[in-house]
């Protein structure tokens, strides 16, 4: 079981970095504690989603490899949404930019 988690564990880091710094979520800022807590909440949500999708995929396909691949791809696509939701839950707000004024 634990070796199955190695695939999503290695792939979450670059995708999370891209979601945090490569999207519009970059303008969300707060204290370092709130931002770190949001990232940790996003990672916990990612693994919860991955485990649920893996169980569903294994039940539907009967193949462990297909379930791992499908769960990993689908949960990695949801990382920006999970990060946005964790920002909202913990009160990380977008900073004001001079462009809007």
């Amino acid at each position: 079981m634990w070796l199955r988690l190695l695939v999503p564990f290695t792939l979450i880091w670059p995708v999370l970095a891209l979601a945090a710094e490569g999207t519009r979520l970059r303008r969300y800022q707060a204290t370092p504690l709130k931002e770190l807590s949001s990232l940790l909440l996003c990672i916990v949500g990612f693994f919860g989603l991955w485990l649920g999708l893996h169980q569903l995929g294994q039940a539907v396909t009967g193949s462990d490899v297909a379930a791992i691949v499908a769960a990993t791809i689908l949960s990695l696509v949801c990382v920006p949404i999970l990060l946005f939701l964790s920002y909202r839950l913990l009160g990380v707000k977008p900073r004001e930019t001079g462009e809007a004024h």
Side-chain angles (χ1 to χ4, degrees), residues 1 3-4 50 54-55 57-59 61-72:
M1 171 62 185
L3 286 177
R4 294 179 198 155
W50 188 89
H54 179 262
Q55 291 295 325
Q58 202 170 21
T61 64
S63 170
D64 196 37
V65 174
I68 289 172
V69 170
T72 301

Side-chain angles (χ1 to χ4, degrees), residues 5 7 15-16 35 44-45 52 65 75 88:
L5 293 175
V7 173
V15 174
L16 186 59
E35 287 187 27
V44 168
V65 174
S75 58
R88 292 302 229 175

Side-chain angles (χ1 to χ4, degrees), residues 41-53:
L41 182 62
C42 178
I43 291 169
V44 168
F46 167 79
F47 278 108
L49 179 66
W50 188 89
L51 288 171
L53 289 173

Side-chain angles (χ1 to χ4, degrees), residues 54-91:
H54 179 262
Q55 291 295 325
L56 180 68
Q58 202 170 21
V60 170
T61 64
S63 170
D64 196 37
V65 174
I68 289 172
V69 170
T72 301
I73 291 172
L74 290 174
S75 58
L76 285 175
V77 168
C78 294
V79 166
I81 298 166
L82 291 171
L83 185 60
F84 174 73
L85 291 175
S86 66
Y87 279 171
R88 292 302 229 175
L89 284 174
L90 295 177

Side-chain angles (χ1 to χ4, degrees), residues 8-26:
F9 184 75
T10 57
L11 293 176
I12 182 66
W13 306 113
V15 174
L16 186 59
L18 283 173
E21 291 296 323
T23 63
R24 294 185 62 116
L25 293 174
R26 181 179 188 172

